[in-house]
Amino acid sequence: MLVALAWLLMQGSLAPASLLWAALLGLALPWLTRRFLGRYRRSRAPVAAVRLLLVVGWDIVRANLTVARIVLQPRRVPQPAWVWVPCSLRDPRAIALLATIVTNTPGTVSAFVDEKRSRILVHALDATEPDALVLEIHARYERLLKEIFE
């Protein structure tokens, strides 16, 4: 359903051809990826999932403004940093989602997921306090991901 909806939003049209492609993709992609994703499990915390979606959406808007401010102020020199973010999540889907959230938030990129040590290597465009970045990721995302997946 989400795949079909995303397709229609990207097309910006409800023409018959778009509806047909949305239906085909909405049915075919989940079927084709079922082996990779494993068995579907309904979330035990749908409220936490909605909260996570709202938090991530807000953080993306906020981070876009921050990155724009950095780019538009040439005298302000950003302090980029590589930061290891320890991860207490155990579900591989939750860890992958955390890495995806970090990457989709402007100004940060998850560069490597170390499954053995349960940590993610993050590059931040401007991290004057790397420890604060780690604490923010834990507080804003990891806590909600634990509620959803564990």
Side-chain angles (χ1 to χ4, degrees), residues 45-53 144 147-148:
V47 174
V50 170
R51 281 196 335 236
L52 179 65
L53 183 66
L144 289 169
E147 270 185 64
I148 296 165

Side-chain angles (χ1 to χ4, degrees), residues 15-118:
S18 294
L19 291 172
L20 179 63
W21 274 108
L24 287 171
L25 291 171
L27 293 171
L29 285 178
W31 183 78
L32 290 170
T33 59
R34 71 187 185 287
R35 287 186 180 169
F36 301 109
L37 299 177
R39 189 180 151 107
Y40 173 75
R41 217 176 51 197
R42 189 174 294 275
S43 173
R44 290 175 284 176
V47 174
V50 170
R51 281 196 335 236
L52 179 65
L53 183 66
L54 293 173
V55 166
V56 170
W58 173 250
D59 286 353
I60 288 173
V61 170
R62 194 173 53 128
N64 269 306
L65 294 172
T66 301
V67 169
R69 202 172 316 127
I70 290 169
V71 170
L72 295 174
Q73 292 178 348
R75 284 182 275 153
R76 186 176 183 284
V77 179
Q79 295 180 348
W82 289 97
V83 180
W84 282 106
V85 178
C87 189
S88 62
L89 298 167
R90 296 294 165 238
D91 189 311
R93 293 171 300 169
I95 296 168
L97 186 53
L98 178 61
T100 301
I101 290 169
V102 168
T103 297
N104 285 319
T105 305
T108 56
V109 175
S110 55
F112 180 71
V113 177
D114 184 351
E115 292 177 19
K116 289 181 183 175
R117 293 188 177 139
S118 195

